[in-house]
Amino acid sequence: MSSLLTAARGAARTFARTAGALALDAANGSLRAVEAVGDKVRGRESTPGVLRVHVVILSDANGPLCRPEDVRPALDRAGEVLEAEAGIRVRITGVDVITAPAPPEALDPRANRGLLLDDILGRTSFYLDHLPQRVLGLVGAPVTVVVVREISGRTTGCSLGISADWVITQASLYDRAAEHSYDETVLAHELGHALNLPHHRDRGNLMFPVSSPPKDLRGTALSGWQAAILQASRHVVPGVGRDTPAG
């Protein structure tokens, strides 16, 4: 009975959090649309929006799973892609290394439905305890990238889906010496999920579900509708309209 009650409470908590996040996304998207129309009427252009990203690197008994500098190329790549394809600048708010060994369920999490179920059952509490923001769901709150040891199944990155506040990525993604796992596109791909993008069937698209280094990496393109969804996310601080310089 207690396990059923825990699951019911967890499901209600997850549903309420997701519903609240989607409501904020809808409100933010509507506001962005109104501002865009207003800027166009006034002949103004908007500065890029800003996405704050925080990184948390876990440790096992052997120490940190990777170094902060190992993650930097993937962060830089995500910033380049999102600014070029969606007009969003990535701002790194910090890279934290948790030196105390994480519990096994945090080091080697399940993926997809398994991760969602674990979140409902409270098994992702270690991640939540180390998020930088104390109140989740606020507009402009960062997306936290948690670096774990290994994700079950044939995946190296995962999120809870739409409107997620955190995503997980496997440490091997950031090891340049491991050519069959090093992949700078995964972090940007998972940020896309956190900002409400579904998978895309075009291999040249950032949201293509499969990327196989070193020779068969997914692309990094985004379509116009994908850019609009990203810009509407509650995680993105809108740009500011400014007058277009006289030509």
Side-chain angles (χ1 to χ4, degrees):
M1 179 65 72
S2 60
S3 60
L4 289 176
L5 183 59
T6 298
R9 288 175 175 171
R13 181 181 64 250
T14 299
F15 176 80
R17 184 177 63 215
T18 302
L22 288 174
L24 284 172
D25 283 334
N28 193 46
S30 298
L31 180 60
R32 289 295 302 273
V34 171
E35 290 176 342
V37 171
D39 288 339
K40 189 170 184 178
V41 170
R42 297 182 182 90
R44 309 177 76 194
E45 60 181 19
S46 294
T47 59
V50 175
L51 170 65
R52 296 181 174 93
V53 176
H54 199 90
V55 179
V56 174
I57 300 172
L58 303 188
S59 297
D60 60 13
N62 297 316
L65 301 177
C66 69
R67 303 170 301 172
E69 55 265 35
D70 295 333
V71 187
R72 174 57 66 173
L75 290 169
D76 291 342
R77 183 70 179 279
E80 293 167 1
V81 170
L82 292 180
E83 183 163 10
E85 299 291 331
I88 297 172
R89 289 178 179 167
V90 171
R91 179 177 299 166
I92 311 304
T93 60
V95 180
D96 297 334
V97 178
I98 310 303
T99 56
E105 63 270 19
L107 286 170
D108 304 313
R110 298 193 292 174
N112 304 320
R113 294 177 182 175
L115 183 64
L116 178 60
L117 179 60
D118 287 341
D119 186 58
I120 289 173
L121 295 176
R123 296 171 184 165
T124 60
S125 59
F126 190 84
Y127 304 146
L128 300 179
D129 290 343
H130 291 90
L131 297 188
Q133 67 272 23
R134 304 310 301 172
V135 180
L136 303 183
L138 297 179
V139 173
V143 176
T144 299
V145 178
V146 182
V147 180
V148 302
R149 184 168 58 191
E150 186 173 2
I151 303 172
S152 65
R154 300 178 62 183
T155 183
T156 52
C158 189
S159 77
L160 291 176
I162 58 175
S163 293
D165 289 293
W166 52 272
V167 301
I168 55 175
T169 59
Q170 194 164 287
S172 60
L173 289 170
Y174 310 114
D175 183 0
R176 283 187 178 273
E179 65 172 8
H180 292 287
S181 61
Y182 183 80
D183 190 344
E184 294 179 1
T185 72
V186 174
L187 191 151
H189 176 92
E190 296 305 330
L191 290 178
H193 281 315
L195 272 60
N196 299 326
L197 288 185
H199 281 145
H200 196 285
R201 60 185 179 182
D202 182 357
R203 179 171 287 278
N205 195 279
L206 178 65
M207 300 313 296
F208 188 73
V210 179
S211 187
S212 303
K215 296 182 179 180
D216 199 15
L217 296 175
R218 66 165 64 87
T220 56
L222 290 169
S223 66
W225 67 265
Q226 287 176 309
I229 289 176
L230 291 173
Q231 292 165 0
S233 170
R234 63 190 171 86
H235 288 295
V236 176
V237 179
V240 179
R242 62 184 180 186
D243 293 330
T244 304

